[in-house]
């Protein structure tokens, strides 16, 4: 675990908190192990996921509750096993869920440095809605 990631996760990930994890090809996969280790150590951490093609490297057993609204092939076996709860929702409904029952405490995502500051890069979907309602943002710079 990197010191920066460990410090950030230990500071903001608490028992009972909800973490929204950016998804897709721009997912912060390099932080999966760090996030899971801290979630396991504090306990009771809930996780919200979208489309996760690289989910095989994410230890979902570290979380008390995992929900996905767009599980796709990366989470199919976890949904079938009951480790991940599939929530059938239209993408247009996700901002409402994030503003109410799913309200994240922490959002973990990848960003890119640009000449104008930080950019979401390939993240252009539900992550923007999550960022508008969250309490803490943990961003790692994609390299």
């Amino acid at each position: 675990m990197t010191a920066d990631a460990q410090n950030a996760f230990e500071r903001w990930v608490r028992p009972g908190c909800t973490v929204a994890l950016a998804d897709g090809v721009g997912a912060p996969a390099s932080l999966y192990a760090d996030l899971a280790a801290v979630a396991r150590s504090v306990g009771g951490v809930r996780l919200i996921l979208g489309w996760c093609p690289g989910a095989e490297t994410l230890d979902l057993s570290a979380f008390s509750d995992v929900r996905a609204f767009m599980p796709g092939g990366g989470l199919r076996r976890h949904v079938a096993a009951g480790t991940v709860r599939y929530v059938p929702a239209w993408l247009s409904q996700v901002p409402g869920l994030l503003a109410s029952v799913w309200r994240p405490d922490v959002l973990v995502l990848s960003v890119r440095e640009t000449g104008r500051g930080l950019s979401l890069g390939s993240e252009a979907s539900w992550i923007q809605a999550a960022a508008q309602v969250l309490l803490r943002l943990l961003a790692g710079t994609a390299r």
Side-chain angles (χ1 to χ4, degrees):
M1 181 178 297
T2 64
D4 289 342
Q6 180 178 1
N7 290 338
F9 287 139
E10 287 177 351
R11 181 172 181 186
W12 301 117
V13 176
R14 297 281 180 230
C17 82
T18 298
V19 175
L21 183 60
D23 59 356
V25 296
S30 63
L31 298 176
Y32 285 177
D34 299 341
L35 176 60
V38 172
R40 183 178 308 288
S41 72
V42 301
V45 177
R46 295 179 301 273
L47 185 64
I48 299 170
L49 300 169
W51 177 63
C52 294
E56 63 277 352
T57 61
L58 178 59
D59 181 5
L60 298 173
S61 68
F63 302 90
S64 64
D65 181 69
V66 181
R67 295 175 189 240
F69 60 89
M70 190 178 5
L75 293 174
R76 183 175 293 125
R77 69 182 172 90
H78 298 288
V79 171
T83 335
V84 173
R85 293 182 189 188
Y86 168 56
V87 179
W90 293 99
L91 190 55
S92 62
Q93 295 171 314
V94 173
L97 290 168
L98 292 167
S100 59
V101 296
W102 279 0
R103 189 175 197 91
D105 300 296
V106 176
L107 171 60
V108 181
L109 73 160
S110 296
V111 294
R112 296 215 174 266
E113 291 182 39
T114 68
R116 296 179 8 203
L118 298 177
S119 169
L120 291 177
S122 66
E123 285 297 340
S125 184
W126 67 278
I127 291 301
Q128 294 178 9
Q132 292 174 354
V133 300
L134 64 88
L135 296 176
R136 302 285 182 253
L137 172 67
L138 300 178
T141 304
R143 302 201 189 267

